[in-house]
Amino acid sequence: MPDRPLFLERASFHRRRLGDAARVLPVLATLLLLLPVWWVPRSVSYAGGAVWFFALWAGLIVAIWALHRALLRAEAATVRASEAAAAQVAPRDGLAGRRPSGEAERGPDAL
Amino acid sequence: MPFETLLASCLAYVVLMFGVAFAADRAAARGHVRWLDHPLVYTLSLSVYCSAWTFYGAVGYASRSGLEFLTIYLGPTIVFTGAWWGLRRLVRVARMHHVTSVADLISARFGKSNRLAGLVTLIAVIASTPYIALQLQSVSLSFEVFATDTPYGPTLNGNTLGGTALWVAAGLALFTILFGTRNLAADERHHGVVTAIALEAVVKLVAFLTLGVFVVWWLADGPADILDRIAAAAAEPQNAEGWALRADRWTALNIVSAAAILTLPRMFQVMVVEAADEERLNTAGWAFPAYLFAMSLFVLPIAVMGRELLPAAANPDLYMLTLPASQGQNWLALLVFLGGFSAATSMVVVCAIAVATMVSNHWLVPVWLALRRPQGGEDADDLRGFVLNARRLAILAVTGAGWLYYHASGGTAALAAMGLVAFAGMAQVLPAMIGGLLWRGANRKGAYAGIGCGAALWIALIFLPSIGVGGDIPLPSGVDPWTFAVFLSLSMNILAFIGVSIFGFPDPVERLQGLSFVSAVEPIRHSRMTRGEGRAEPLLAMARRVWGPEEALRYFRDEAHAQGKTGYLPDLTPRFLTRLERRLGGSIGSATAHAMIDRVAGGVALTVSDLLQVADEAQRAKEETQRLESARAELARTALQLREANDKLTALSVQKDAFLSQISHELRTPMTSVRAFSEILKDPTLTHEERSRFAGIIHDEAGRLTRLLDDLLDLSVLESGRAQLSVTAVNLHDLISRALSAASATRPERSFLIDRDVASEHVGIITDADRLLQVLINVISNARKYCDADRPMLHIRVTRPAEGGTVINIMDNGSGIDSSRQSLIFEKFARLNDPARAGGAGLGLAICREIMAVLGGDIAYLPGLGGAAFRISLPQRPPVELPQAVA
């Protein structure tokens, strides 16, 4: 197992935080979906409920779309950054031409 | 609309589907998979979730229970909000293990157990049969709408058109067998089927949206009007009761439908098995919820308008068809019919493929292999043919069972009920699936307990009551029986799964698989599984039986080539065996592949100590890496040291050259004088005075040469460390006094004021007195020579620092030494000013430094004290053995 870095540069850090957002989103969606029905079942059972649920749904679709787009961009930025770092390191030190592997980048623990 | 038109368009549509599937399969065979692999096609294929139950049933469901129908779509939407980290991971792990079905996933995770896969298959078969029956019923009913020409829908009283269902079932079985079992592709992908389904998804969506737009903007006056009508409908007493959402039921439905999107055989097939990689979920993550959104947006409007415009006796499940038909919109009704037809057929096809794969891989093939073993041994017959035939047979059986169920039950009253039963059944697999992916401690016994317990409760409390066997459970009023059953079965399932897992100890294969699933890393085979080369051939023979000779030979040649070998027989490395097993697993399921490889290659059962050794190997590899890393650092350090040493050597070489040229120069000057004056002395005309003066000069110069050579010898002895010390105890005061009187011979014309602190000087020191005296004389003479003050003064101070030893400071009040040259004064031949005036060779301080080094002390220049100041530091005793020195 590769040793994980303790701190990350900007691009990777940004991507990790977006990853955190992707983890929070389902929890948030579940709460918004279930809590109104537990609290005020009568208000969300009819026309008002239709508006609320479809609006929530549309919001979730947009949120997933935006999140995925941002994550893909952040991933591309991370790849670029690590390539740039590798290009910087490689000429100076022949031994350090290794590029960080994707698996190591995916490691969830580093902050 | 005439029934013949309907039949003709339906047949044309079927032909189109066959054509599309055929074309896509051909394109895939030629390698044109670019647009077949498009994320959009993947997203559309996911729409197989929207079966006929969704298409027709959602409207019926909404007209009975209001917004509750939304749960069927909102649950999956919640799952897709976690697509980035959840679904992508599921797909990655499943692709890594070449998983062929949800049962295969569970079996592979829990130690490649075929019996567990068999259990999951059983649940899938029980849940799917009525569900397929439901699709056949919907197609049959929708035909009846047109055939019987009753505008408000047929009544559910029997098998007036039972033949329709049979024809549909037969046609679907044919389609599925044609395009679902064309090959035993190792990755189980069916481009033809997927493309046809994607097209059907478009038809479904267009039909639904067209009808929705027609209802909202044609029959009603736009969204606001629809909202008013919903509110008005909700005001009716029986609706107000039926439409009111119940929080517990709402939650249970969301949980179950969220589980269904992951565990339904057909969903697992299109979402995981047919996915080439996890990247397509980046698009599907938002596009599939959007599809569901579009599919449900108009459900409630259609339900409300249906209630208003159609008589109360009309079947709400068929509002989709009867509403446009009653308005005279026959073409719209035909479009809707085709949409519903698409929904039903795509569901049946994918479900049949998925369940048939499970049945053949986990029921038929293992049984067949077990039966054949006693007779055949290393049988050479065609396993590939058998597997394909088993799959075809299973497809026929699954669709046939669906038709039989439909025929026997004579149609169930509410379409939605059977869908929910199937959802709740497959949800029983979810705890084991999620637990297996996230928790390394989950084990096979836990999975058995959880799935078994959940499935038993599901059959007893949900499935049997749904087909009319057994009575209701006595529950307090206000508790919904279905919700109660779902919560009870799922919580008992989870409890049993966790509880038994906690107290169990998994076998080694299971633990290896658990590690691979939870960490999403490639599984490793233990090195002990490596066997001799002689066994590669039986493996090739076995692979040939599964894949056919060409494919097997190609695979083995590629593997051998990857190992750097020629020919068709690769070495049986752990890596190769693992890859072969997973690829075989892609065709016949991981459990069977594992068993076959072990049988053919003479598998050694893994033990716990082997497992620990695997951990050891990983640990060793890690240590090896670290060792290499530190060796690299060590090398870098050595290289640096070598570079420094080289620099030093180069500098020394330069210094040596300079020294030689210096010394030649120093020797030559007196020699030249000696020679010149010797020449002159040969002149007989010289007077006696002149002769004696010149002889004196020669004598002086010879003396200077001798001194220089003495100094050089002294320096070389000191530098080589061969100096002999005669260490004695001596009073420092006496030593300083002797040095002062000896040095007074230097420039005796100058009178110095000597400032001494006599009291502090009376200390006994242990050192070589002669050598120290030499240093003192040298330093004091230098002061006498170079101090340029008008009233020269010399301060001598002796201190004994706390850390031991003795320090002698000798300072004058001259102008001192320029800071830029302070570093030079201890170098050989370093003379700061005019050599003639100094009259020395410039070796004095260099000798002093060497003497002090030999004595174990130090001499340093002290800057910033006004004049030239030197500090002589002596250790408590010199670094030589005292007795030896005394002797």
Side-chain angles (χ1 to χ4, degrees):
Chain A
M1 194 180 282
D3 289 331
R4 290 192 178 124
L6 279 179
F7 298 102
L8 298 165
E9 37 73 45
R10 191 182 177 82
S12 306
F13 184 88
H14 182 56
R15 204 195 54 186
R16 290 281 162 86
R17 298 297 76 76
L18 283 173
D20 293 345
R23 284 178 176 79
V24 171
L25 186 63
V27 178
L28 187 70
T30 310
L31 291 180
L32 289 176
L33 180 64
L34 297 184
L35 286 184
V37 182
W38 283 92
W39 285 338
V40 282
R42 287 278 156 187
S43 323
V44 292
S45 290
Y46 313 111
V51 173
W52 163 247
F53 288 120
F54 278 102
L56 169 68
W57 201 345
L60 283 179
I61 291 166
V62 172
I64 303 173
W65 171 78
L67 191 62
H68 281 198
R69 209 170 72 119
L71 274 161
L72 284 175
R73 287 187 175 181
E75 213 156 62
T78 314
V79 170
R80 271 202 307 277
S82 65
E83 264 168 8
Q88 233 173 29
V89 171
R92 202 180 59 215
D93 185 355
L95 289 166
R98 304 164 295 174
R99 279 173 49 184
S101 75
E103 284 306 313
E105 280 291 311
R106 281 198 186 102
D109 295 341
L111 283 170
Chain B
M1 168 173 295
F3 187 63
E4 289 70 29
T5 317
L6 179 78
L7 205 60
S9 36
C10 187
L11 280 177
Y13 184 68
V14 168
V15 169
L16 176 70
M17 283 306 126
F18 272 80
V20 164
F22 183 69
D25 259 351
R26 267 178 69 117
R30 286 185 193 150
H32 301 160
V33 287
R34 245 182 82 196
W35 62 270
L36 296 179
D37 252 354
H38 196 277
L40 197 63
V41 173
Y42 175 75
T43 309
L44 287 173
S45 74
L46 291 183
S47 74
V48 73
Y49 181 72
C50 304
S51 64
W53 169 38
T54 305
F55 196 82
Y56 294 122
V59 172
Y61 196 167
S63 74
R64 278 186 290 269
S65 310
L67 285 172
E68 198 179 277
F69 83 96
L70 277 178
T71 51
I72 307 304
Y73 308 94
L74 284 171
T77 302
I78 299 292
V79 171
F80 270 73
T81 55
W84 185 267
W85 52 268
L87 294 181
R88 276 165 43 113
R89 184 194 172 87
L90 171 67
V91 170
R92 186 157 80 236
V93 170
R95 299 305 305 162
M96 195 183 283
H97 287 265
H98 291 267
V99 159
T100 58
S101 64
V102 61
D104 198 28
L105 179 85
I106 301 281
S107 136
R109 163 61 180 87
F110 294 105
K112 302 173 184 172
S113 151
N114 201 33
R115 261 173 276 175
L116 190 57
L119 176 64
V120 176
T121 306
L122 181 67
I123 301 176
V125 169
I126 296 178
S128 300
T129 307
Y131 206 1
I132 289 176
L134 178 65
Q135 311 301 317
L136 298 176
Q137 179 192 330
S138 77
V139 175
S140 163
L141 275 180
S142 58
F143 263 109
E144 277 182 58
V145 169
F146 290 92
T148 55
D149 217 18
T150 50
Y152 308 127
T155 47
L156 281 167
N157 57 356
N159 309 310
T160 46
L161 267 177
T164 315
L166 183 59
W167 279 110
V168 171
L172 288 176
L174 178 69
F175 181 89
T176 314
I177 288 172
L178 269 185
F179 298 105
T181 61
R182 283 175 85 85
N183 50 11
L184 206 54
D187 55 359
E188 287 289 327
R189 300 187 66 198
H190 307 97
H191 287 292
V193 173
V194 168
T195 313
I197 287 168
L199 186 64
E200 292 194 318
V202 175
V203 174
K204 268 191 286 196
L205 187 64
V206 167
F208 212 108
L209 289 182
T210 313
L211 180 64
V213 169
F214 169 75
V215 166
V216 172
W217 278 279
W218 193 277
L219 297 180
D221 285 336
D225 182 35
I226 286 291
L227 280 178
D228 289 344
R229 284 167 196 257
I230 292 175
E236 292 173 30
Q238 86 272 23
N239 280 355
E241 195 46 46
W243 285 20
L245 295 180
R246 298 169 49 118
D248 53 347
R249 195 170 156 84
W250 175 265
T251 309
L253 280 164
N254 270 308
I255 292 174
V256 162
S257 56
I261 198 85
L262 294 168
T263 53
L264 278 183
R266 67 175 195 277
M267 286 320 294
F268 194 87
Q269 177 78 25
V270 287
M271 190 162 72
V272 180
V273 179
E274 302 281 353
D277 53 52
E278 72 261 27
E279 299 303 321
R280 54 210 59 227
L281 275 164
N282 300 345
T283 305
W286 58 268
F288 181 60
Y291 186 95
L292 294 179
F293 180 88
M295 282 298 281
S296 49
L297 188 56
F298 294 115
V299 168
L300 206 54
I302 294 170
V304 170
M305 292 310 290
R307 290 175 73 93
E308 285 190 17
L309 299 176
L310 297 172
N315 181 358
D317 285 333
L318 292 171
Y319 279 175
M320 290 284 291
L321 284 170
T322 49
L323 192 57
S326 71
Q327 302 297 313
Q329 301 287 335
N330 280 333
W331 289 105
L332 185 55
L334 176 64
L335 182 63
V336 171
F337 168 79
L338 286 182
F341 186 71
S342 301
T345 51
S346 57
M347 182 276 170
V348 175
V349 167
V350 181
C351 189
I353 288 180
V355 176
T357 306
M358 285 156 76
V359 167
S360 83
N361 280 356
H362 304 305
W363 284 359
L364 302 180
V365 174
V367 167
W368 189 75
L369 283 176
L371 290 180
R372 298 287 298 193
R373 194 181 313 190
Q375 313 164 8
E378 300 285 320
D379 33 16
D381 47 12
D382 179 20
L383 191 62
R384 170 189 160 81
F386 174 77
V387 175
L388 282 178
N389 282 332
R391 215 167 274 186
R392 289 175 187 135
L393 189 73
I395 288 172
L396 278 178
V398 168
T399 43
W403 177 77
L404 266 180
Y405 185 90
Y406 165 69
H407 192 71
S409 69
T412 40
L415 290 180
M418 277 330 294
L420 280 184
V421 171
F423 277 27
M426 285 317 290
Q428 304 305 329
V429 179
L430 189 72
M433 185 168 153
I434 303 281
L437 284 171
L438 298 179
W439 182 33
R440 270 177 72 181
N443 66 34
R444 187 190 312 165
K445 289 204 177 81
Y448 269 126
I451 295 177
C453 173
L457 283 169
W458 166 69
I459 289 180
L461 299 181
I462 299 179
F463 183 74
L464 290 181
S466 81
I467 57 172
V469 180
D472 289 341
I473 335 150
L475 285 173
S477 71
V479 178
D480 180 48
W482 188 84
T483 310
F484 170 78
V486 166
F487 276 127
L488 183 71
S489 60
L490 276 180
S491 39
M492 294 312 286
N493 183 334
I494 294 170
L495 277 180
F497 174 58
I498 294 178
V500 175
S501 289
I502 283 175
F503 294 110
F505 185 72
D507 73 29
V509 176
E510 199 181 333
R511 289 169 74 184
L512 275 179
Q513 291 292 95
L515 171 69
S516 169
F517 271 71
V518 174
S519 319
V521 292
E522 294 266 330
I524 331 153
R525 266 205 167 214
H526 182 8
S527 56
R528 222 183 108 191
M529 308 294 255
T530 316
R531 299 136 183 139
E533 190 183 350
R535 309 292 291 170
E537 210 162 344
L539 281 177
L540 176 59
M542 184 193 70
R544 200 191 64 224
R545 286 170 55 206
V546 179
W547 295 333
E550 278 310 309
E551 168 93 33
L553 279 174
R554 192 168 58 236
Y555 180 75
F556 271 66
R557 192 193 55 212
D558 290 350
E559 286 290 333
H561 188 71
Q563 288 179 359
K565 294 182 70 178
T566 52
Y568 293 90
L569 296 179
D571 285 338
L572 298 190
T573 58
R575 171 180 291 272
F576 167 67
L577 283 176
T578 314
R579 286 160 58 99
L580 177 67
E581 181 181 318
R582 273 186 292 148
R583 236 182 100 98
L584 278 175
S587 300
I588 52 176
S590 57
T592 310
H594 183 68
M596 282 180 76
I597 288 209
D598 271 3
R599 184 145 67 90
V600 172
V604 189
L606 274 182
T607 63
V608 175
S609 64
D610 290 341
L611 207 59
L612 295 179
Q613 211 176 322
V614 170
D616 270 1
E617 279 169 17
Q619 183 61 29
R620 269 206 296 280
K622 196 172 162 188
E623 281 168 4
E624 182 70 6
T625 317
Q626 278 170 353
R627 203 183 59 73
L628 285 175
E629 195 69 21
S630 67
R632 196 183 75 88
E634 181 71 41
L635 272 178
R637 265 200 303 281
T638 313
L640 195 68
Q641 282 167 356
L642 280 176
R643 200 153 55 221
E644 276 175 2
N646 191 36
D647 288 351
K648 205 178 266 178
L649 280 175
T650 315
L652 276 175
S653 164
V654 171
Q655 216 174 350
K656 183 202 74 186
D657 291 346
F659 178 72
L660 279 177
S661 86
Q662 276 278 4
I663 201 121
S664 321
H665 179 75
E666 295 291 340
L667 288 172
R668 210 172 125 213
T669 319
M671 284 302 264
T672 314
S673 320
V674 169
R675 268 183 62 194
F677 284 104
S678 317
E679 286 291 325
I680 295 171
L681 279 180
K682 285 186 188 163
D683 185 354
T685 62
L686 286 180
T687 63
H688 181 72
E689 289 78 31
E690 280 173 331
R691 205 173 286 270
S692 108
R693 188 161 62 87
F694 293 150
I697 291 173
I698 290 175
H699 182 263
D700 286 351
E701 289 299 318
R704 211 171 118 198
L705 264 178
T706 315
R707 272 204 312 281
L708 178 62
L709 290 173
D710 281 348
D711 282 355
L712 276 175
L713 272 175
D714 206 14
L715 195 58
S716 94
V717 165
L718 287 167
E719 277 184 343
S720 65
R722 285 180 282 118
Q724 291 287 326
L725 295 185
S726 61
V727 177
T728 49
V730 50
N731 187 327
L732 188 56
H733 177 74
D734 298 346
L735 219 53
I736 292 175
S737 300
R738 276 167 64 193
L740 280 172
S741 61
S744 60
T746 312
R747 296 184 73 182
E749 73 279 6
R750 303 194 72 181
S751 71
F752 265 73
L753 202 61
I754 310 290
D755 170 28
R756 297 173 66 180
D757 179 10
V758 179
S760 65
E761 286 174 8
H762 281 288
V763 289
I765 53 174
I766 300 168
T767 188
D768 185 325
D770 290 341
R771 287 296 191 182
L772 184 58
L773 186 63
Q774 198 182 342
V775 174
L776 289 171
I777 290 171
N778 204 306
V779 173
I780 294 167
S781 308
N782 274 351
R784 291 190 73 99
K785 269 188 232 167
Y786 301 116
C787 180
D788 49 4
D790 292 335
R791 301 181 48 189
M793 242 180 120
L794 196 63
H795 304 271
I796 299 174
R797 288 286 179 278
V798 175
T799 52
R800 309 206 71 164
E803 63 267 23
T806 310
V807 170
I808 308 159
N809 290 341
I810 300 172
M811 299 158 278
D812 65 28
N813 60 343
S815 55
I817 298 171
D818 191 39
S819 63
S820 64
R821 319 188 66 167
Q822 283 165 9
S823 61
L824 287 176
I825 53 177
F826 292 106
E827 297 302 322
K828 286 167 247 180
F829 303 108
R831 271 176 313 206
L832 302 183
N833 26 33
D834 180 20
R837 195 182 129 211
L843 289 172
L845 282 175
I847 291 173
C848 286
R849 189 181 60 176
E850 292 303 328
I851 290 174
M852 289 317 297
V854 170
L855 292 180
D858 184 30
I859 177 168
Y861 182 77
L862 296 180
L865 289 181
F870 288 88
R871 162 169 293 180
I872 298 162
S873 317
L874 280 167
Q876 215 143 19
R877 51 176 57 213
V880 285
E881 291 298 318
L882 201 50
Q884 190 189 351
V886 170

